Amino acid sequence: MPKKSKSLCVDDLRHAEYYDMQDTFDELYQKSMNGEKFEDLMELILSRDNILLAYRNMKANKGSYTAGTDNRNITEIGQMAPDTVVEKVRFIVTGSQHGYRPKPVRRKDIPKPNGKLRPLGIPCIWDRLIQQCIKQVLEPICEAKFYNNSYGFRPNRSVEHAISKTYTMLQRMNLHYVIEFDVKGFFDNVNHSKLMRQIWTLGIQDKQLLFVIKRILKAPIRMQDGSTVIPDRGTPQGGIISPLLANIVLNELDWWVASQWEENPLALQGAKYRVIRTSEILDKSKGYVTMRRTNLKEMHIVRYADDFRIFCKTKEDALKTKIAVTKWIEERLKLEVSPEKTRIVNTRKRWSEFLGFKIKVIPKHHKYIVKSAICDKKAKIEEEKLVEQAKNIARPREKTTCLNEIRLYNSMVLGIQNYYQLATCISLDCRRFHRRVMTVLTNRLNTEKGCMLKREGGTITQSEKERFGKSKMIRYVAGIDQMIYPIAYIKYKVAMPKRVKVCSYTPEGRELIHTNLSLDKTVMYELKDDRSTNHSIELLDSRISLFSAQKGKCAICGEEFASARDVVCWLKKPKDQGGTERYKNMALIHRKYLPLLQNTFNDDLKALAKTLKVTAKTVSKINSLREQAGLIKIG
């Protein structure tokens, strides 16, 4: 019997599937790849399906529950009817005679690890919804034009891919001179005029949309002291569309650096496509051989958001590249490069820092291999956080318990391990953390009756067993049924590169990361297009999710729904008892079973059940729903 293939799911792709937008995004991507211009995007941005999809994507983000200057969050939108939300978004954008005018952005300064403050700009919730609508439509257009070696805030790309590319540059391509660039206050200093021209160059030439984006950039900022500032540059960190705009700004830099070597016309001479493993790539090796006989500077860029590194073969190339790139950034992008923080590093002698890792190359078997660890500043910060939390385990803070403190510590351990496991020396760094934490716990949990830190004494979940089950460093606090995760029990993970074929906007590219729904989408789309006014946008969205989770079948009898008219959304805990129109409080049932869930005489219910020929198993499920609603079971 053939092995059943594992079902894959990417949340954003599933959401687009729910609202029948995936084909539209695919079409935008393909048109952008073909170099077409887009002069009428606002109709698509303000379409009903795109607005409902924007709500769906926004509510999945915890930040949507943070209020702006109007003190409102996503919960208020969720209580409104779908068409009311659609009409309000359209009115905000196009209804006023003055055009779109976003409300003031709330300024909030959050502390950075180095003691400085990072300014965040939190737009009002309706402005965030509009930004999400725009982002969904612009992203496939921009993805077709973005350079391959940028990895920040892009679908199917991550820190792991950036680190993998960095290792490849150093170890396989022997590009040991790294230029570490630092752009002063990048997000606060983006030139608006330059950005608008760059958007136009990408083919996004809808003047109404460009007007809206310009208004977003010019949105007033309400400072923490109550004053209001009108920005003349920068994109507010905290805005949904800001990361995409930042990538648009620096995409020009990516392509300029690439044009000096990787995409140089000489490199393309004699280039041929060939298959490596399962991916087809353009082999430019012959062109590179020719180019190395010239005086051209070899340079390669790896970028994650505004943090980027340029790799060179020789010190002379690195010195020339540093001057050229600095001048280009300042003249073309109107940004300032910090001369103090921008430096050239010979990784054969010193560490280079990137994305929280410190990286160098060391000789081994007549070649150089990568050695990496947590960078010193980050290591010190993470160590101090763990030690402080270990103290909280021994002496829980007010209004919390030892169990909650252990859970918080465990989440910190998982965060460090999951992020920094790409460092080759991760086990050495974590061993140092572990020694300090265990010293604190052992000393502070010592009592007259003995140490409260035990090797055994609690249960272990399956996921914990798979990850830490073989470790001898597991500890428990006496009387607490929750293990303290051993941070030193960690193994180096090989950083995997981004797979060439993976793409969210082509059917072939999605096959590797996402499995399409295998249910009747006709009924699901009927539910999506339901125009009845007696339910909220939250209920409509949760109902679609539940329809997918129940695989298009009734929660009581297990039969597939033939029509949206047959679907009834039953609230397990009724509204009059405090129940909400949320996913966890809902079940989709066939309309014919609705009478069996009414508060009526038991004999009548029995007779109706007999008429419907329900089985004992079905009656059991009905009784379960009746019990949750506070109704008497059918006897």
Side-chain angles (χ1 to χ4, degrees), residues 208-316:
Q208 187 181 2
L209 172 59
L210 295 176
F211 172 81
V212 170
I213 293 174
K214 198 164 187 178
R215 282 288 173 90
I216 290 172
L217 294 172
K218 297 288 185 184
I221 300 174
R222 184 74 51 79
M223 307 301 284
Q224 290 181 297
D225 61 4
S227 61
T228 301
V229 175
I230 306 297
D232 60 354
R233 57 176 55 241
T235 62
Q237 293 186 66
I240 288 174
I241 202 173
S242 292
L244 179 62
L245 297 179
N247 275 329
I248 291 173
V249 172
L250 292 173
N251 182 55
E252 191 175 346
L253 170 65
D254 298 337
W255 281 105
W256 181 79
V257 173
S259 71
Q260 305 303 301
W261 189 264
E262 290 183 40
E263 300 296 326
N264 191 294
L266 286 174
L268 299 173
Q269 288 181 8
K272 294 181 179 179
Y273 281 98
R274 64 191 184 99
V275 176
I276 296 181
R277 295 190 183 95
T278 58
S279 299
E280 188 179 53
I281 67 165
L282 184 62
D283 183 6
K284 305 173 187 174
S285 55
K286 288 186 178 180
Y288 292 151
V289 170
T290 304
M291 290 168 68
R292 289 192 178 102
R293 298 194 190 108
T294 69
N295 291 324
L296 288 170
K297 302 181 292 293
E298 182 170 357
M299 62 174 84
H300 303 262
I301 189 170
V302 176
R303 182 172 66 82
Y304 191 93
D306 62 325
D307 199 3
F308 61 94
R309 301 290 180 263
I310 294 179
F311 299 80
C312 300
K313 278 269 188 195
T314 65
K315 185 177 181 180
E316 292 73 21

Side-chain angles (χ1 to χ4, degrees), residues 408-568:
L408 179 56
Y409 173 84
N410 288 347
S411 68
M412 293 166 68
V413 167
L414 292 178
I416 293 170
Q417 289 185 342
N418 291 341
Y419 187 86
Y420 291 109
Q421 64 185 337
L422 305 173
T424 59
C425 297
I426 180 64
S427 59
L428 297 177
D429 288 328
C430 286
R431 200 179 300 168
R432 187 176 72 253
F433 298 167
H434 184 78
R435 279 198 299 270
R436 277 204 65 190
V437 167
M438 283 299 109
T439 300
V440 169
L441 288 174
T442 303
N443 290 341
R444 294 187 175 233
L445 290 173
N446 260 327
T447 64
E448 293 179 356
K449 297 180 181 179
C451 186
M452 294 177 64
L453 201 62
K454 306 294 182 183
R455 292 179 181 269
E456 297 177 351
T459 56
I460 181 170
T461 66
Q462 185 60 34
S463 62
E464 290 172 342
K465 188 175 182 180
E466 290 173 2
R467 184 158 186 156
F468 302 111
K470 295 181 181 179
S471 175
K472 295 180 180 179
M473 296 180 280
I474 294 173
R475 296 291 183 271
Y476 295 89
V477 175
I480 306 295
D481 189 26
Q482 172 63 58
M483 75 152 71
I484 299 173
Y485 292 170
I487 190 166
Y489 193 73
I490 179 66
K491 186 179 179 181
Y492 161 61
K493 177 182 181 291
V494 176
M496 300 303 293
K498 179 192 174 294
R499 289 181 287 181
V500 176
K501 286 186 177 181
V502 171
C503 177
S504 292
Y505 302 110
T506 63
E508 304 79 24
R510 286 193 293 273
E511 284 180 1
L512 300 170
I513 57 172
H514 183 75
T515 307
N516 289 335
L517 288 173
S518 56
L519 51 80
D520 185 0
K521 293 183 182 178
T522 305
V523 178
M524 186 173 72
Y525 293 153
E526 287 177 3
L527 292 174
K528 167 183 70 73
D529 295 329
D530 182 13
R531 300 282 176 163
S532 58
T533 57
N534 60 345
H535 58 69
S536 64
I537 188 173
E538 175 60 31
L539 186 141
L540 179 140
D541 183 69
S542 298
R543 188 172 59 179
I544 294 173
S545 298
L546 197 56
F547 184 86
S548 171
Q550 292 181 195
K551 298 182 179 178
K553 298 176 182 178
C554 172
I556 293 176
C557 66
E559 295 178 5
E560 287 191 8
F561 294 109
S563 168
R565 292 188 298 274
D566 298 333
V567 181
V568 172

Side-chain angles (χ1 to χ4, degrees), residues 66-73 104 106 122-125 128:
T66 302
T69 53
D70 59 353
N71 293 319
R72 296 173 179 174
N73 61 28
R106 179 164 74 91
I122 305 171
C124 294
I125 194 64
R128 271 180 274 173

Side-chain angles (χ1 to χ4, degrees), residues 3 24 49 94 234 238 335 341 400 408 463 548 563 583:
K3 188 177 180 180
T24 302
D49 287 345
T94 63
L335 295 167
K341 295 182 180 179
T400 188
L408 179 56
S463 62
S548 171
S563 168
Y583 180 90

Side-chain angles (χ1 to χ4, degrees), residues 15-254:
H15 299 166
E17 204 173 349
Y18 287 161
Y19 288 97
D20 197 19
M21 291 294 292
Q22 193 60 64
D23 290 342
T24 302
F25 296 152
D26 290 357
E27 186 180 351
L28 290 173
Y29 178 83
Q30 193 56 54
K31 285 182 177 180
S32 184
M33 287 289 287
N34 296 336
E36 294 187 32
K37 310 299 180 187
F38 301 89
E39 298 177 350
D40 189 21
L41 290 173
M42 283 306 293
E43 184 178 350
L44 177 58
I45 288 169
L46 297 179
S47 66
R48 185 177 190 270
D49 287 345
N50 191 55
I51 294 171
L52 297 181
L53 174 60
Y55 170 79
R56 169 68 193 222
N57 285 328
M58 266 188 64
K59 78 167 189 176
N61 189 336
K62 290 182 180 179
S64 63
Y65 295 91
T66 302
T69 53
D70 59 353
N71 293 319
R72 296 173 179 174
N73 61 28
I74 195 70
T75 306
E76 179 177 302
I77 296 178
Q79 295 170 349
M80 300 170 68
D83 285 343
T84 304
V85 173
V86 172
E87 288 166 10
K88 180 155 185 175
V89 168
R90 290 172 178 170
F91 178 79
I92 292 172
V93 176
T94 63
S96 170
Q97 61 178 341
H98 302 291
Y100 174 56
R101 285 186 173 180
K103 291 184 178 179
V105 173
R106 179 164 74 91
R107 177 71 169 263
K108 182 174 176 62
D109 294 329
I110 60 172
K112 294 169 69 174
N114 59 8
K116 296 181 180 179
L117 295 175
R118 174 180 283 114
L120 284 186
I122 305 171
C124 294
I125 194 64
W126 285 100
D127 294 322
R128 271 180 274 173
L129 184 61
I130 290 164
Q131 288 189 28
Q132 180 65 36
C133 292
I134 296 171
K135 175 183 176 289
Q136 288 168 182
V137 172
L138 293 192
E139 192 166 68
I141 298 171
C142 295
E143 276 298 308
K145 299 290 176 67
F146 283 162
Y147 185 60
N148 195 44
N149 282 5
S150 69
Y151 298 95
F153 306 112
R154 293 181 60 187
N156 309 313
R157 292 167 185 264
S158 65
V159 168
E160 180 176 0
H161 299 143
I163 293 298
S164 172
K165 191 67 176 179
T166 300
Y167 289 174
T168 298
M169 296 282 187
L170 294 170
Q171 185 166 309
R172 298 184 64 185
M173 299 173 67
N174 295 317
L175 300 165
H176 296 160
Y177 286 88
V178 180
I179 313 171
E180 298 179 350
F181 279 93
D182 183 86
V183 179
K184 286 185 178 179
F186 170 75
F187 283 93
D188 294 329
N189 291 296
V190 169
N191 185 282
H192 291 174
S193 299
K194 176 65 177 176
L195 172 56
M196 298 310 293
R197 290 196 298 271
Q198 289 172 317
I199 294 173
W200 182 275
T201 303
L202 289 177
I204 302 164
Q205 299 179 2
D206 183 332
K207 293 182 180 179
Q208 187 181 2
L209 172 59
L210 295 176
F211 172 81
V212 170
I213 293 174
K214 198 164 187 178
R215 282 288 173 90
I216 290 172
L217 294 172
K218 297 288 185 184
I221 300 174
R222 184 74 51 79
M223 307 301 284
Q224 290 181 297
D225 61 4
S227 61
T228 301
V229 175
I230 306 297
D232 60 354
R233 57 176 55 241
T235 62
Q237 293 186 66
I240 288 174
I241 202 173
S242 292
L244 179 62
L245 297 179
N247 275 329
I248 291 173
V249 172
L250 292 173
N251 182 55
E252 191 175 346
L253 170 65
D254 298 337

